[in-house]
Amino acid sequence: MFDADQIKQLKQLIGDQVEAGRAELDKLVEQARAIRSEVRVIKPRAATSVALMSSDGGNNKVAFNPFYLQVVRVVDSNGKELCMEVVSPISDIDALSRRQFHEDGSPRTALGRMMHGLGVERLQDLSPMMSGKSPSWVQVFRDLCEWATLYDLICHRDYAVDTLIVRDGLLRSKIFHGELFVKMGELMYEAIERIRRNDRRKVWLVGLAKKTQVLEYYRLAISLSGVFDNGAACFAKVPSEMLDEVYLWDEYTRGIEDESKGEKPKFNIGSMYFVRFGPYSGDPIWTVDVMARQDREAQAIFGYLQADAVAGFPIPLYPNCIQQADSFSRVADLDMDIIEDQLVDAVRDQVGEEKAPVIDALRLASDVAARRYE
């Protein structure tokens, strides 16, 4: 523990550093004040007039060293399973690519349909991170599956009512090869327009993140400037100056129509907003990406989303549809026990009957150790 003299010294050192950073804070407050004129009050919309749908893939990991499995299970907010895969760092990525297609080459899964739409046949051509050189590719595969289900929901579904599709995370990604991410966004927008023309139905796409670098960096400045202190749920577009202050990659922040540097912003298909669904200054502010070509409909989108966020549980004022999808996608309790038992049984079968008692002993030892701390 710090003694009294150390605490006094620590207090002085911290105070000196905060004083040195005061000019930076003042600059951020001024930048935050600049969005005051852009703040708009959310006009609530009846949630019954539009369907809200989200998808989420829980981070479900199972390990029995040296075996490690990632269970990729993506579901929507109604609990409908959209994708199910099990991979490990030692999986054959070429075989995994083939698994997305039937023998005749037609797509078999949501990921296969997205790959077919983008004109690629191998996961390595879809994402440079799918080379297998790093074990983190299993996490990238999970993210690809989430994007594929969003693509599938928009491009290969029929809608009887206007629908707001919500992604848990921003509409930005650095895992796709070249400009494939931008191409995917264009294909989704073409499908949205086709649904509007043929079925007279509106489909919107948004992504909402619990935490972002830009919001964390400006959170104090936004509170000090009081730009959202208007007693109502509200939103404001994030200025490019704020994004440039925080993010290094301009391909991640530039708008889809900004080709000032000769290439498309290949990591981004969204327009970023700060949104507060509650009326009070202490209510949480979230970062939301509206699909860039649907910017003009931001007021309607946030109106529907706000009605869903008010009912959010257990996270208050956070869209309930995302929370429902997260709850359904998570593999836990009895389901996780079943998966772990299946993994151990598979290892037991591989080592043969002679060595099977060794596996049984390890399973018993790990169970006892775990229960000791329950």
Side-chain angles (χ1 to χ4, degrees):
M1 292 180 64
F2 293 116
D3 59 31
D5 290 338
Q6 289 174 321
I7 292 175
K8 183 178 180 180
Q9 181 185 11
L10 189 62
K11 180 179 179 180
Q12 180 64 42
L13 291 171
I14 291 174
D16 291 343
Q17 290 302 312
V18 171
E19 183 179 356
R22 180 58 190 265
E24 179 68 14
L25 176 60
D26 290 341
K27 184 186 78 171
L28 298 184
V29 170
E30 284 302 311
Q31 289 180 333
R33 284 178 180 151
I35 69 174
R36 188 187 300 274
S37 61
E38 302 298 322
V39 174
R40 299 288 182 267
V41 173
I42 296 176
K43 299 175 183 177
R45 306 274 178 135
T48 54
S49 64
V50 65
L52 287 95
M53 182 181 297
S54 67
S55 64
D56 187 52
N59 191 21
N60 307 308
K61 298 178 290 187
V62 182
F64 186 72
N65 290 324
F67 298 96
Y68 166 89
L69 302 180
Q70 176 83 36
V71 181
V72 181
R73 183 169 181 261
V74 185
V75 302
D76 65 19
S77 47
N78 296 318
K80 181 179 179 180
E81 187 174 278
L82 306 175
C83 173
M84 170 71 87
E85 287 279 4
V86 178
V87 295
S88 79
I90 60 173
S91 295
D92 184 336
I93 298 178
D94 286 323
L96 187 60
S97 299
R98 292 192 294 270
R99 207 155 75 204
Q100 311 310 315
F101 300 90
H102 294 291
E103 291 185 2
D104 62 359
S106 60
R108 188 179 68 85
T109 65
L111 182 55
R113 285 186 284 275
M114 184 180 75
M115 293 170 67
H116 179 75
L118 296 177
V120 298
E121 297 180 355
R122 301 166 66 244
L123 289 168
Q124 296 93 323
D125 297 328
L126 182 63
S127 171
M129 301 176 191
M130 292 297 296
S131 63
K133 295 179 180 179
S134 169
S136 62
W137 73 261
V138 296
Q139 188 69 32
V140 173
F141 179 75
R142 192 200 80 158
D143 293 341
L144 289 173
C145 287
E146 288 195 30
W147 283 112
T149 55
L150 279 178
Y151 174 88
D152 207 41
L153 283 172
I154 293 174
C155 297
H156 298 282
R157 296 290 179 93
D158 295 322
Y159 291 95
V161 296
D162 294 346
T163 303
L164 176 59
I165 298 175
V166 189
R167 178 180 188 265
D168 187 1
L170 298 177
L171 301 182
R172 300 162 196 255
S173 176
K174 293 189 285 187
I175 65 174
F176 285 78
H177 196 281
E179 295 187 357
L180 288 179
F181 184 65
V182 176
K183 182 178 179 180
M184 181 190 69
E186 292 172 349
L187 292 174
M188 289 195 292
Y189 185 71
E190 289 173 6
I192 288 172
E193 286 296 288
R194 184 174 64 250
I195 293 168
R196 182 184 61 81
R197 289 193 308 268
N198 297 343
D199 302 330
R200 299 293 190 270
R201 293 289 178 257
K202 291 184 178 181
V203 174
W204 301 280
L205 173 64
V206 301
L208 191 151
K210 299 183 184 73
K211 287 186 177 182
T212 59
Q213 289 177 259
V214 65
L215 181 56
E216 294 303 309
Y217 193 68
Y218 281 96
R219 189 182 297 278
L220 177 59
I222 290 172
S223 297
L224 291 174
S225 64
V227 293
F228 285 156
D229 294 350
N230 55 8
C234 53
F235 67 94
K237 193 168 186 176
V238 181
S240 59
E241 293 76 16
M242 284 189 173
L243 297 174
D244 293 339
E245 185 79 25
V246 177
Y247 297 104
L248 297 176
W249 299 89
D250 63 349
E251 298 99 326
Y252 190 81
T253 59
R254 283 190 292 130
I256 59 171
E257 297 179 354
D258 182 1
E259 298 184 8
S260 57
K261 297 193 177 182
E263 63 176 350
K264 294 181 179 180
K266 56 186 177 182
F267 300 145
N268 176 32
I269 59 172
S271 293
M272 189 181 291
Y273 290 81
F274 290 142
V275 183
R276 190 186 68 197
F277 294 118
Y280 304 111
S281 59
D283 289 332
I285 297 173
W286 312 107
T287 309
V288 180
D289 261 347
V290 172
M291 196 173 195
R293 290 187 174 89
Q294 297 183 315
D295 239 359
R296 62 188 180 277
E297 300 182 74
Q299 178 63 256
I301 291 170
F302 292 134
Y304 290 124
L305 204 54
Q306 194 257 352
D308 190 56
V310 169
F313 181 84
I315 303 174
L317 298 172
Y318 187 76
N320 197 53
C321 61
I322 296 181
Q323 300 190 60
Q324 288 294 316
D326 177 70
S327 176
F328 285 125
S329 69
R330 195 176 302 143
V331 180
D333 302 328
L334 180 60
D335 289 335
M336 183 61 75
D337 290 340
I338 291 172
I339 293 173
E340 290 176 346
D341 286 344
Q342 292 296 322
L343 172 58
V344 175
D345 288 343
V347 175
R348 192 176 187 275
D349 292 340
Q350 288 297 315
V351 301
E353 292 186 7
E354 183 178 345
K355 296 293 184 180
V358 176
I359 304 301
D360 294 335
L362 284 173
R363 174 193 284 179
L364 180 62
S366 62
D367 287 348
V368 170
R371 288 170 182 161
R372 167 67 178 80
Y373 296 99
E374 287 182 351

